[in-house]
Amino acid sequence: MNRIELLFDEIEKILDRMTNKDSRRAMNNHLYGVAQAAALIALRRGENTELATMAGILHDIAYCRSCDIEPYRIFDVTGANHAEKGSIAALEILTELNITTLEETRIICDAIKRHSDKNTVDKPFDEVLKDADVFSHGLHNVTSCNFRGERWDRLCEEFGIDNPRINN
């Protein structure tokens, strides 16, 4: 089994402990959506797709580990420093699984720590995760423009997508 599959197995165990069915489904969709978007964006930009996939699946894992979230409240980014908590949770998971080097763990955890600050441009790998998060939210409901902004506009242009925010 490769290390992404090992990580996905661990994520499934964490998701299974979530007692609220709606929250579990929403988080499952979001984490896997961001992981896939991160792989696609990393591939296009020449970044490490394996590490991007890992960062994507782990980026909001702190929400899942608490297992006490209300349905649909999981995407409330105003919560107390969820990116920092996510970085710590990712470090614990990666350390426990022992599937990444110290440098790979640092790269993943740094990106997770910075993923909520969409107004700041960080290292190229960090930008992959930020953009994957926006991309996943945007594609989740293409008729809603609530989560979109300049970052979404740039992604639509980069991927040649007809931007419903501008073209409606």
Side-chain angles (χ1 to χ4, degrees):
M1 186 177 293
N2 71 40
R3 57 193 195 158
I4 289 178
E5 290 171 348
L6 288 168
L7 181 57
F8 282 8
D9 283 350
E10 185 64 24
I11 298 306
E12 288 299 320
K13 291 175 192 171
I14 294 168
L15 289 169
D16 285 346
R17 289 193 295 268
M18 293 177 70
T19 56
N20 184 286
K21 176 182 74 164
D22 292 331
S23 292
R24 183 175 54 245
R25 182 177 42 245
M27 187 53 74
N28 182 72
N29 291 341
H30 180 61
L31 293 180
Y32 282 96
V34 173
Q36 289 176 332
L40 177 68
I41 294 167
L43 186 63
R44 179 167 181 88
R45 296 180 186 171
E47 294 294 327
N48 186 312
T49 56
E50 187 178 33
L51 297 186
T53 301
M54 291 178 175
I57 200 72
L58 287 166
H59 82 286
D60 278 346
I61 201 63
Y63 285 131
C64 303
R65 291 181 87 189
S66 68
C67 296
D68 60 0
I69 35 187
E70 298 172 25
Y72 308 112
R73 194 171 180 287
I74 58 178
F75 299 124
D76 178 6
V77 294
T78 61
N81 209 354
H82 91 279
E84 176 77 27
K85 290 178 181 179
S87 177
I88 293 166
L91 174 62
E92 291 169 358
I93 291 166
L94 292 171
T95 301
E96 180 181 315
L97 293 176
N98 195 29
I99 57 172
T100 52
T101 66
L102 289 174
E103 178 62 12
E104 290 170 332
T105 299
R106 185 195 58 76
I107 290 167
I108 292 167
C109 292
D110 284 353
I112 292 169
K113 188 175 188 177
R114 296 182 183 114
H115 88 272
S116 290
D117 187 3
K118 305 290 196 290
N119 295 321
T120 301
V121 175
D122 288 300
K123 297 175 185 175
F125 186 85
D126 300 342
E127 292 301 299
V128 167
L129 183 58
K130 291 178 187 185
D131 287 345
D133 195 24
V134 168
F135 212 39
S136 178
H137 279 289
L139 294 175
H140 178 72
N141 185 353
V142 294
T143 60
S144 170
C145 296
N146 294 340
F147 198 76
R148 301 195 184 136
E150 291 179 20
R151 204 172 268 275
W152 169 261
D153 296 343
R154 286 191 303 271
L155 283 164
C156 286
E157 185 176 333
E158 180 179 354
F159 284 89
I161 297 169
D162 188 31
N163 189 345
R165 189 169 91 89
I166 294 173
N167 298 324
N168 281 340

